[in-house]
Amino acid sequence: MAKPIPRTSNIMAQSSYTSVVLAQRPKALIVPGETFSIKENPMVGEKDLKDGQILIETLYLSLDPAMRGWLNDTRSYIPPVQIGEVMRGAVIGKVLASKSSKFTAGNYVTASPGWSEVAIVAEKEASLLEVPENGKVTDALGVLGMTGLTAYFGMLDIGQVKAGDFVVVSGAAGATGSVACQIAKLKGAKVLGLAGSDDKVQWLKDLGCDDALNYKNADFAKEFKEKTKDLIDVFFDNVGGEILELALSRAKAHSRFVMCGAISQYNSAKPVGPKNISMVIAMRIKLQGFIVFDYQSQYGAARTELTKWLTEGKIQRKETIVKGGLKSAERALMDLYNGINTGKLLVEVKAEDAESGVGSRL
């Protein structure tokens, strides 16, 4: 991507702002400098707002595995990002100007204007950010955001987890997987987490997982078989591929497979599925995909319970925050698929001024 124009601390004093747009659809891996391009846009201000709109400055950008799928021109649960369009993404932003009765300048909000330093957002598409006790601002994109909600509905509604279940979670050290593990433990299940490094394995054990395995170990398949002697009641899958195949081979009759993601396949030009898919028949497995947007009417109740668990210290979380502004987003997204993150991955688009009194909260 081209280099962005140097910025000042007061973005409204600038003549332009930066956004990142989709330049070319990748056939497999995201190609640095080709898939995305930086675009300079004339600065917008309060005069450009219509009634019911707010102008926000992006502070943090959420990076999520699903983003790779949004680049494909194919039928899915959401339309693909179009060529020349700002890359889709959720953000935490600060209101710079408002023509909405619901927000005032200085408010912190969550919205999904995409990869852009500033954006005009309709009031119905923004939510006032509230920080609970023991919480922090960035939780709004993590444990209390879409990733936490995905773990909540996937484990409780699709997985139907209950006390005594043996639960296996792949991608367990990620933003969604780590919360899924902890919810299963809160419901009385025995949990085995799968992750891609020894440090992540140790963190999963610190979170309360009964055991955890590094899937990159040479003897992983053997270790997995040994650790699943009691067979699997619930498999919460974020990875797909060979790990899904292994899990199918260790599934209990009438087990529930929560198909949340398949990160191992997202960048493949020739995705592969499990060769033993017939185990779904033999073991009468309920294998079900889901999208968190399906549960929009239940977000409020779910966030209330997640917030309670967070406030009480029953759920822990980690964040991996990449600094450097929007120019760092492309590389950070590529690194996401290589497992750079423990917990939620965010890009710090704009560091708040410590003198504002907000820095400590962010």
Side-chain angles (χ1 to χ4, degrees):
M1 293 190 297
K3 292 183 180 180
I5 294 172
R7 296 308 185 196
T8 64
S9 58
N10 177 14
I11 196 166
M12 297 306 292
Q14 298 169 182
S15 61
S16 67
Y17 69 93
T18 297
S19 60
V20 177
V21 303
L22 179 63
Q24 184 176 311
R25 297 195 188 281
K27 294 180 173 61
L29 295 172
I30 291 169
V31 181
E34 292 185 12
T35 301
F36 299 107
S37 63
I38 285 180
K39 181 180 179 183
E40 291 298 326
N41 311 274
M43 183 55 69
V44 291
E46 186 172 3
K47 68 182 186 307
D48 299 297
L49 297 178
K50 298 177 182 178
D51 289 342
Q53 292 183 330
I54 58 175
L55 176 65
I56 68 170
E57 179 177 17
T58 298
L59 303 179
Y60 290 96
L61 170 67
S62 174
L63 295 184
D64 303 284
M67 287 178 160
R68 178 60 187 80
W70 300 343
L71 306 182
N72 298 331
D73 190 11
T74 186
R75 187 172 66 91
S76 188
Y77 63 93
I78 192 169
V81 178
Q82 297 301 308
I83 300 296
E85 195 171 68
V86 174
M87 177 57 186
R88 183 180 294 136
V91 311
I92 290 169
K94 183 177 182 179
V95 177
L96 299 176
S98 174
K99 286 190 178 179
S100 165
S101 59
K102 296 181 179 179
F103 303 99
T104 59
N107 284 160
Y108 290 84
V109 299
T110 55
S112 295
W115 294 18
S116 183
E117 288 182 320
V118 300
I120 293 174
V121 178
E123 62 181 13
K124 66 180 181 180
E125 296 173 356
S127 298
L128 188 65
L129 197 157
E130 298 178 1
V131 182
E133 184 180 349
N134 288 339
K136 49 189 175 181
V137 168
T138 47
D139 288 332
L141 293 179
V143 64
L144 303 181
M146 289 299 109
T147 49
L149 292 170
T150 298
Y152 183 93
F153 294 115
M155 187 59 73
L156 297 180
D157 187 56
I158 307 298
Q160 294 287 307
V161 68
K162 62 183 184 299
D165 278 344
F166 177 42
V167 176
V168 178
V169 180
S170 67
T176 296
S178 57
V179 177
C181 287
Q182 294 176 86
I183 291 174
K185 286 301 300 177
L186 286 170
K187 296 301 179 179
K190 178 182 177 182
V191 177
L192 171 66
L194 310 179
S197 74
D198 291 341
D199 287 344
K200 291 179 180 181
V201 163
Q202 184 56 56
W203 181 56
L204 291 172
K205 292 178 180 178
D206 294 342
L207 286 181
C209 288
D210 298 276
D211 212 337
L213 293 174
N214 182 347
Y215 70 82
K216 293 183 180 177
N217 286 348
D219 294 330
F220 170 68
K222 180 181 178 182
E223 293 171 343
F224 185 80
K225 187 174 181 179
E226 291 173 351
K227 297 294 185 180
T228 56
K229 288 179 179 178
D230 295 331
L231 302 181
I232 300 168
D233 292 293
V234 178
F235 180 55
F236 193 108
D237 190 23
N238 294 295
V239 174
E242 293 179 358
I243 290 180
L244 172 57
E245 188 169 305
L246 275 174
L248 285 167
S249 74
R250 307 299 292 164
K252 190 178 290 185
H254 303 290
S255 53
R256 288 91 70 199
F257 274 46
V258 184
M259 307 311 296
C260 181
I263 194 170
S264 71
Q265 305 299 305
Y266 291 160
N267 289 298
S268 175
K270 296 182 178 180
V272 296
K275 293 185 287 290
N276 60 348
I277 191 67
S278 61
M279 287 295 290
V280 174
I281 304 166
M283 291 295 108
R284 289 85 79 201
I285 299 168
K286 177 186 176 184
L287 188 151
Q288 184 175 345
F290 75 105
I291 300 297
V292 70
F293 303 151
D294 299 341
Y295 296 90
Q296 192 167 1
S297 65
Q298 300 176 51
Y299 285 176
R303 278 201 180 99
T304 297
E305 189 160 25
L306 285 165
T307 300
K308 180 174 182 291
W309 289 334
L310 184 65
T311 300
E312 294 173 349
K314 293 179 179 178
I315 284 185
Q316 308 296 320
R317 78 293 202 207
K318 275 191 176 182
E319 297 168 339
T320 301
I321 299 179
V322 176
K323 298 181 183 293
L326 275 184
K327 69 180 184 292
S328 302
E330 179 183 65
R331 171 51 60 182
L333 181 59
M334 294 169 65
D335 288 341
L336 171 65
Y337 302 108
N338 294 320
I340 186 180
N341 61 303
T342 300
K344 180 65 185 176
L345 182 61
L346 301 166
V347 173
E348 183 183 79
V349 177
K350 166 76 177 290
E352 279 279 271
D353 183 353
E355 294 181 0
S356 69
V358 179
S360 61
R361 293 194 285 120
L362 287 167

